[in-house]
Amino acid sequence: MTPHPSRTGTPARRRALSRSRAIALGAVPVVALLAVAGFAPLPYSVARPGQTTDVLGTHGGGEVISTSGAAVRKTSGELRMVAIQATAPTADIRVGEVIEGWFRTDRAVLPLDAVFPSGRSEAEIAQHNVADMKSSQRAATTAALRFLHRAPDRVKVRLRLDDVGGPSAGLMFSLGIVDKLAGDGSGGDLTGGRTIAGTGTIDADGRVGAVGGAPLKTQAARRDGASVFLVPKAECAQVQPAPQGLRLVPVTTLNGAVQALRALAKGGPVPGC
């Protein structure tokens, strides 16, 4: 009896059919994984431009910077610290959000452990961020008073910004203290009347350190009217190209930031990224 062609066929045909089945079956785990990934939360946080706050102004019902033991100047212009807004570590981040974030310039997809301390609850992370902010405020105050040659036992500075965590506002706090107590050193404002934004950690000796999310912060700064953005020099490459109308000024120290703002106010040469 002649075998039915639909059951057997030539050896070559049987091998081709076998390969087709193998390919089709081999694709099942991949499809299944993609389907699971679409519904399972992923270990990422999606960040976007956050709030900006003028450290020369008020926030939460009081002055961001207040002092005792020294006269405070009336200032013009703004010095804006900038934050990013990141999804919480317990947020359900899906594959669609991650893919979308990779293709958008106003989003950044970051590994969770690059944004939040690993192995901690949300409450512990919040406490950690507050502790970082308080430490940053102390360093910013010390750096500013040292720059101005003011004795910390005579001049007391209080910084109020309770709803933002982390150390990245240090530079702007120091500049705000300098502007409120001494201005540009020649009777004018350190801002030159402009809206200046910036980011960067600072230590007690006035050294400026890099921070995360600088490209997103430039977007928030421009959105809120800044024309100049002070950025840690090590992050110059990350923030380019800058949003249209925003001038990038790299800094490494508080002294360098003050000198750059003085030159900017006078129309002198200022370093750029």
Side-chain angles (χ1 to χ4, degrees):
M1 183 187 305
T2 303
H4 196 283
S6 63
R7 295 181 183 175
T8 55
T10 64
R13 178 174 172 77
R14 287 198 297 272
R15 286 195 298 270
L17 288 171
S18 177
R19 283 197 301 270
S20 297
R21 291 191 191 100
I23 292 169
L25 292 173
V28 170
V30 176
V31 173
L33 286 174
L34 288 174
V36 170
F39 292 99
L42 299 175
Y44 294 101
S45 179
V46 179
R48 64 192 69 196
Q51 75 179 66
T52 73
T53 305
D54 178 19
V55 300
L56 298 176
T58 60
H59 185 76
E63 295 285 332
V64 176
I65 300 173
S66 57
T67 66
S68 60
V72 174
R73 299 176 61 255
K74 184 177 181 180
T75 60
S76 67
E78 297 179 353
L79 287 171
R80 289 194 165 270
M81 60 76 57
V82 188
I84 62 171
Q85 179 182 347
T87 53
T90 55
D92 289 340
I93 303 301
R94 308 293 172 167
V95 66
E97 293 174 272
V98 172
I99 293 172
E100 180 187 23
W102 282 335
F103 287 96
R104 291 184 59 163
T105 59
D106 62 344
R107 298 287 188 274
V109 178
L110 306 169
L112 273 179
D113 57 7
V115 183
F116 303 106
S118 59
R120 301 192 186 187
S121 67
E122 282 197 41
E124 290 171 332
I125 290 171
Q127 292 173 353
H128 174 82
N129 286 339
V130 169
D132 272 354
M133 172 61 88
K134 295 298 183 185
S135 176
S136 173
Q137 290 176 345
R138 289 191 294 270
T141 299
T142 300
L145 294 180
R146 284 180 177 175
F147 175 81
L148 295 171
H149 305 292
R150 304 284 185 101
D153 58 338
R154 295 190 178 186
V155 180
K156 302 299 182 184
V157 178
R158 181 186 178 188
L159 302 175
R160 179 202 297 266
L161 193 61
D162 298 331
D163 59 348
V164 178
S168 66
L171 170 63
M172 301 310 287
F173 278 136
S174 286
L175 290 171
I177 296 168
V178 171
D179 200 16
K180 283 213 163 191
L181 293 179
D184 65 359
S186 302
D189 294 302
L190 197 56
T191 63
R194 294 177 172 85
T195 296
I196 310 288
T199 191
T201 65
I202 201 163
D203 65 17
D205 293 322
R207 291 184 292 255
V208 175
V211 295
L216 297 178
K217 291 179 179 181
T218 62
Q219 295 178 40
R222 189 67 189 121
R223 178 198 67 205
D224 291 354
S227 58
V228 176
F229 189 84
L230 303 176
V231 60
K233 187 175 182 179
E235 295 182 286
C236 263
Q238 295 181 27
V239 294
Q240 295 193 63
Q244 187 174 4
L246 188 68
R247 183 174 185 174
L248 301 174
V249 177
V251 295
T252 58
T253 65
L254 173 59
N255 180 68
V258 171
Q259 297 306 323
L261 291 182
R262 286 174 177 170
L264 190 64
K266 296 176 180 178
V270 178
C273 285

